[in-house]
Amino acid sequence: MAHEFEGRGLAGLVEMTARLRGPGGCPWDADQTHASLVQYLVEETHELIEAIETGDRGEMIEELGDVLYQVLFHSDIAAHTPGEDFDIDTVADHMTAKMVARHPHVFGDREADTAADVVAFWDDLKATEKPHRTSVLDGIPLGMPALALADKMIGRAERVGAPVTVERADDGEAADLDAADLDAGPTEEELGDQLLAIVADAREHGLDSERALRGALRRLGDRIRETEGSATAEA
């Protein structure tokens, strides 16, 4: 059943969303809140990731649309919630201003010839934007999957010179984490097989791999903050 909207493309989607949540629209859509939609945002994001990884054009279009709809849905809820009072244009304007500020080499007079040059000054820009952040760990969403969180936190540890260590099960001594000790393969496929084997072994021994890694990351977080504290005290 086709339905014509005044706008096309993104404008039509915005119009359709407002119709669904407005008078005479869909009761389910009208009942949703930011909190009730979180599960769908997570689900749609994972489906988009799968579409990207498989390289299916049709699936990417559909899943990008699903994620975009979540953004529009939250924005429409906010537009009709006292105390929030913002809409999709507010979100878009904020993002435009943010990206302009993050790219002074494009919209200003700062120079950057390589991607590495850009990354080098992004931290300074972020520090200016959010002066309330006092640690390199601030801003990292702890709800990330443990492996992605590990990669992010190790990068932050390297930035401040904090040791990335593990406790050896045989003697309890802390030692530098050396990829060679883990016999990591040279390809992502081999690494994936090794990670899968680790999870399978943990399961066989009644251990929770996700919880175990998160515990290790909490300990790494403590070491990062200790390193930052020592650097501040010495300054």
Side-chain angles (χ1 to χ4, degrees):
M1 179 177 63
H3 187 93
E4 294 294 329
F5 295 98
E6 293 183 10
R8 288 180 54 80
L10 184 58
L13 184 57
V14 172
E15 182 183 349
M16 186 277 299
T17 304
R19 172 70 184 277
L20 285 178
R21 300 198 66 255
C26 174
W28 185 91
D29 289 77
D31 283 347
Q32 300 312 301
T33 66
H34 293 306
S36 70
L37 290 176
V38 168
Q39 60 179 317
Y40 303 108
L41 177 59
V42 172
E43 179 180 337
E44 301 297 359
T45 300
H46 282 294
E47 290 179 357
L48 172 58
I49 291 171
E50 182 175 353
I52 291 172
E53 291 179 344
T54 59
D56 187 310
R57 178 182 181 276
E59 288 295 319
M60 281 185 62
I61 292 174
E62 178 175 352
E63 300 307 337
L64 280 167
D66 287 342
V67 173
L68 174 60
Y69 181 61
Q70 289 295 311
V71 176
L72 294 176
F73 208 145
H74 282 280
S75 298
D76 192 78
I77 290 175
H80 297 89
T81 301
E84 294 185 1
D85 303 316
F86 66 81
D87 59 16
I88 190 62
D89 286 332
T90 313
V91 174
D93 287 342
H94 183 276
M95 192 62 191
T96 299
K98 178 179 178 179
M99 288 297 100
V100 169
R102 292 276 179 89
H103 294 79
H105 53 296
V106 177
F107 303 104
D109 55 9
R110 194 156 186 172
E111 295 184 0
D113 296 324
T114 67
D117 293 338
V118 176
V119 173
F121 64 68
W122 265 349
D123 288 338
D124 293 337
L125 294 174
K126 291 177 183 179
T128 301
E129 291 175 3
K130 302 178 179 181
H132 58 283
R133 293 185 176 179
T134 59
S135 170
V136 293
L137 297 177
D138 293 340
I140 297 179
L142 298 181
M144 292 174 65
L147 278 175
L149 181 60
D151 183 79
K152 179 75 71 174
M153 288 185 64
I154 289 172
R156 299 296 173 88
E158 292 171 346
R159 188 182 303 174
V160 299
V164 181
T165 59
V166 295
E167 288 189 358
R168 302 298 188 187
D170 51 355
D171 55 17
E173 293 293 326
D176 289 337
L177 181 59
D178 187 343
D181 293 342
L182 301 179
D183 191 28
T187 69
E188 285 191 357
E189 181 177 355
E190 291 171 332
L191 176 59
D193 288 341
Q194 291 178 359
L195 290 173
L196 181 60
I198 290 173
V199 174
D201 185 64
R203 179 180 175 84
E204 183 178 343
H205 289 84
L207 302 175
D208 185 323
S209 301
E210 178 82 8
R211 187 169 60 214
L213 182 52
R214 288 190 175 278
L217 291 174
R218 282 192 293 272
R219 295 189 292 275
L220 174 58
D222 292 339
R223 292 194 294 274
I224 291 174
R225 294 186 188 280
E226 289 172 3
T227 300
E228 290 177 323
S230 297
T232 301
E234 294 172 359

Short mmCIF file of all heavy atoms in Angstrom, two decimals, residues 142-170:
data_model
loop_
_atom_site.label_atom_id
_atom_site.label_comp_id
_atom_site.label_asym_id
_atom_site.label_seq_id
_atom_site.Cartn_x
_atom_site.Cartn_y
_atom_site.Cartn_z
N LEU A 142 31.42 2.21 28.56
CA LEU A 142 31.77 0.92 29.16
C LEU A 142 30.81 -0.20 28.75
O LEU A 142 31.06 -1.36 29.03
CB LEU A 142 31.80 1.05 30.68
CG LEU A 142 32.85 2.04 31.23
CD1 LEU A 142 32.82 2.07 32.75
CD2 LEU A 142 34.24 1.68 30.72
N GLY A 143 29.73 0.16 28.08
CA GLY A 143 28.80 -0.84 27.59
C GLY A 143 29.23 -1.48 26.28
O GLY A 143 28.53 -2.35 25.76
N MET A 144 30.38 -1.04 25.75
CA MET A 144 30.89 -1.65 24.51
C MET A 144 31.16 -3.12 24.72
O MET A 144 31.44 -3.56 25.84
CB MET A 144 32.20 -0.96 24.11
CG MET A 144 32.08 0.48 23.66
SD MET A 144 33.72 1.23 23.38
CE MET A 144 34.30 0.24 21.99
N PRO A 145 31.09 -3.92 23.65
CA PRO A 145 31.52 -5.32 23.77
C PRO A 145 32.94 -5.38 24.31
O PRO A 145 33.76 -4.50 24.00
CB PRO A 145 31.44 -5.84 22.33
CG PRO A 145 30.40 -4.98 21.69
CD PRO A 145 30.58 -3.62 22.30
N ALA A 146 33.24 -6.40 25.10
CA ALA A 146 34.50 -6.43 25.84
C ALA A 146 35.73 -6.35 24.95
O ALA A 146 36.71 -5.68 25.27
CB ALA A 146 34.56 -7.69 26.71
N LEU A 147 35.72 -7.04 23.80
CA LEU A 147 36.89 -7.01 22.93
C LEU A 147 37.12 -5.61 22.35
O LEU A 147 38.25 -5.13 22.29
CB LEU A 147 36.75 -8.02 21.79
CG LEU A 147 37.11 -9.46 22.13
CD1 LEU A 147 36.80 -10.37 20.94
CD2 LEU A 147 38.57 -9.59 22.53
N ALA A 148 36.05 -4.95 21.92
CA ALA A 148 36.18 -3.60 21.40
C ALA A 148 36.61 -2.64 22.51
O ALA A 148 37.43 -1.74 22.29
CB ALA A 148 34.85 -3.13 20.80
N LEU A 149 36.08 -2.87 23.70
CA LEU A 149 36.47 -2.04 24.85
C LEU A 149 37.94 -2.25 25.18
O LEU A 149 38.66 -1.29 25.51
CB LEU A 149 35.60 -2.39 26.05
CG LEU A 149 35.84 -1.60 27.34
CD1 LEU A 149 35.62 -0.11 27.11
CD2 LEU A 149 34.92 -2.09 28.45
N ALA A 150 38.40 -3.48 25.08
CA ALA A 150 39.81 -3.78 25.36
C ALA A 150 40.72 -3.04 24.39
O ALA A 150 41.72 -2.44 24.78
CB ALA A 150 40.06 -5.28 25.26
N ASP A 151 40.38 -3.06 23.12
CA ASP A 151 41.18 -2.37 22.11
C ASP A 151 41.23 -0.87 22.40
O ASP A 151 42.29 -0.24 22.31
CB ASP A 151 40.59 -2.63 20.72
CG ASP A 151 41.42 -2.00 19.62
OD1 ASP A 151 42.46 -2.58 19.25
OD2 ASP A 151 41.04 -0.92 19.12
N LYS A 152 40.09 -0.32 22.76
CA LYS A 152 40.02 1.12 23.05
C LYS A 152 40.85 1.47 24.29
O LYS A 152 41.62 2.45 24.28
CB LYS A 152 38.56 1.52 23.26
CG LYS A 152 38.35 2.98 23.61
CD LYS A 152 38.53 3.87 22.41
CE LYS A 152 37.40 3.73 21.44
NZ LYS A 152 37.49 4.71 20.32
N MET A 153 40.72 0.68 25.35
CA MET A 153 41.43 1.00 26.59
C MET A 153 42.93 0.79 26.47
O MET A 153 43.72 1.53 27.06
CB MET A 153 40.85 0.17 27.74
CG MET A 153 39.46 0.62 28.16
SD MET A 153 38.83 -0.28 29.60
CE MET A 153 39.99 0.23 30.87
N ILE A 154 43.34 -0.22 25.70
CA ILE A 154 44.78 -0.43 25.49
C ILE A 154 45.37 0.77 24.75
O ILE A 154 46.47 1.24 25.07
CB ILE A 154 45.02 -1.74 24.72
CG1 ILE A 154 44.71 -2.93 25.63
CG2 ILE A 154 46.46 -1.82 24.24
CD1 ILE A 154 44.74 -4.27 24.91
N GLY A 155 44.61 1.30 23.80
CA GLY A 155 45.07 2.49 23.09
C GLY A 155 45.22 3.67 24.02
O GLY A 155 46.20 4.44 23.93
N ARG A 156 44.30 3.85 24.95
CA ARG A 156 44.39 4.95 25.90
C ARG A 156 45.54 4.73 26.88
O ARG A 156 46.21 5.68 27.29
CB ARG A 156 43.06 5.09 26.66
CG ARG A 156 41.87 5.41 25.78
CD ARG A 156 41.99 6.74 25.09
NE ARG A 156 40.93 6.97 24.12
CZ ARG A 156 39.75 7.52 24.42
NH1 ARG A 156 39.48 7.90 25.66
NH2 ARG A 156 38.84 7.69 23.47
N ALA A 157 45.78 3.46 27.24
CA ALA A 157 46.90 3.16 28.14
C ALA A 157 48.22 3.53 27.48
O ALA A 157 49.12 4.11 28.10
CB ALA A 157 46.89 1.68 28.52
N GLU A 158 48.34 3.19 26.20
CA GLU A 158 49.57 3.52 25.47
C GLU A 158 49.76 5.03 25.39
O GLU A 158 50.89 5.53 25.43
CB GLU A 158 49.51 2.92 24.07
CG GLU A 158 49.56 1.39 24.06
CD GLU A 158 49.29 0.81 22.69
OE1 GLU A 158 48.80 1.58 21.81
OE2 GLU A 158 49.54 -0.39 22.49
N ARG A 159 48.66 5.76 25.31
CA ARG A 159 48.75 7.22 25.18
C ARG A 159 49.37 7.87 26.41
O ARG A 159 50.09 8.87 26.29
CB ARG A 159 47.34 7.80 24.94
CG ARG A 159 47.32 9.27 24.60
CD ARG A 159 45.91 9.77 24.43
NE ARG A 159 45.18 9.01 23.41
CZ ARG A 159 43.88 9.20 23.17
NH1 ARG A 159 43.20 10.07 23.89
NH2 ARG A 159 43.29 8.51 22.22
N VAL A 160 49.08 7.31 27.60
CA VAL A 160 49.62 7.93 28.83
C VAL A 160 50.80 7.15 29.40
O VAL A 160 51.33 7.49 30.46
CB VAL A 160 48.51 8.05 29.91
CG1 VAL A 160 47.38 8.94 29.41
CG2 VAL A 160 47.98 6.68 30.32
N GLY A 161 51.21 6.07 28.70
CA GLY A 161 52.35 5.30 29.17
C GLY A 161 52.05 4.35 30.30
O GLY A 161 52.95 3.95 31.05
N ALA A 162 50.76 3.98 30.48
CA ALA A 162 50.40 3.04 31.53
C ALA A 162 50.72 1.62 31.07
O ALA A 162 50.52 1.27 29.92
CB ALA A 162 48.90 3.15 31.86
N PRO A 163 51.24 0.79 31.97
CA PRO A 163 51.60 -0.58 31.59
C PRO A 163 50.37 -1.43 31.30
O PRO A 163 49.39 -1.39 32.05
CB PRO A 163 52.37 -1.11 32.81
CG PRO A 163 51.81 -0.32 33.95
CD PRO A 163 51.53 1.05 33.39
N VAL A 164 50.42 -2.16 30.22
CA VAL A 164 49.37 -3.13 29.91
C VAL A 164 49.90 -4.48 30.36
O VAL A 164 50.70 -5.10 29.67
CB VAL A 164 49.05 -3.13 28.40
CG1 VAL A 164 47.93 -4.12 28.11
CG2 VAL A 164 48.66 -1.74 27.95
N THR A 165 49.48 -4.91 31.53
CA THR A 165 50.04 -6.11 32.13
C THR A 165 48.97 -7.14 32.42
O THR A 165 47.78 -6.83 32.49
CB THR A 165 50.76 -5.77 33.45
OG1 THR A 165 49.82 -5.18 34.35
CG2 THR A 165 51.91 -4.81 33.21
N VAL A 166 49.42 -8.36 32.59
CA VAL A 166 48.54 -9.45 33.02
C VAL A 166 49.22 -10.18 34.16
O VAL A 166 50.44 -10.11 34.32
CB VAL A 166 48.26 -10.45 31.88
CG1 VAL A 166 47.49 -9.80 30.76
CG2 VAL A 166 49.57 -11.04 31.34
N GLU A 167 48.45 -10.85 34.98
CA GLU A 167 49.01 -11.65 36.07
C GLU A 167 49.17 -13.09 35.60
O GLU A 167 48.22 -13.71 35.12
CB GLU A 167 48.11 -11.60 37.30
CG GLU A 167 48.15 -10.26 38.01
CD GLU A 167 47.41 -10.31 39.34
OE1 GLU A 167 46.86 -11.39 39.65
OE2 GLU A 167 47.39 -9.31 40.05
N ARG A 168 50.38 -13.59 35.67
CA ARG A 168 50.63 -14.97 35.28
C ARG A 168 49.97 -15.90 36.29
O ARG A 168 50.12 -15.76 37.50
CB ARG A 168 52.14 -15.25 35.27
CG ARG A 168 52.92 -14.34 34.33
CD ARG A 168 52.48 -14.50 32.87
NE ARG A 168 53.35 -13.77 31.98
CZ ARG A 168 53.11 -13.62 30.68
NH1 ARG A 168 52.02 -14.15 30.15
NH2 ARG A 168 53.96 -12.95 29.93
N ALA A 169 49.23 -16.86 35.76
CA ALA A 169 48.49 -17.76 36.65
C ALA A 169 49.42 -18.59 37.51
O ALA A 169 49.07 -18.98 38.62
CB ALA A 169 47.60 -18.68 35.81
N ASP A 170 50.66 -18.85 37.02
CA ASP A 170 51.52 -19.76 37.76
C ASP A 170 52.16 -19.10 38.98
O ASP A 170 52.36 -19.73 40.01
CB ASP A 170 52.61 -20.32 36.84
CG ASP A 170 53.34 -19.23 36.08
OD1 ASP A 170 52.94 -18.05 36.20
OD2 ASP A 170 54.30 -19.57 35.36
#
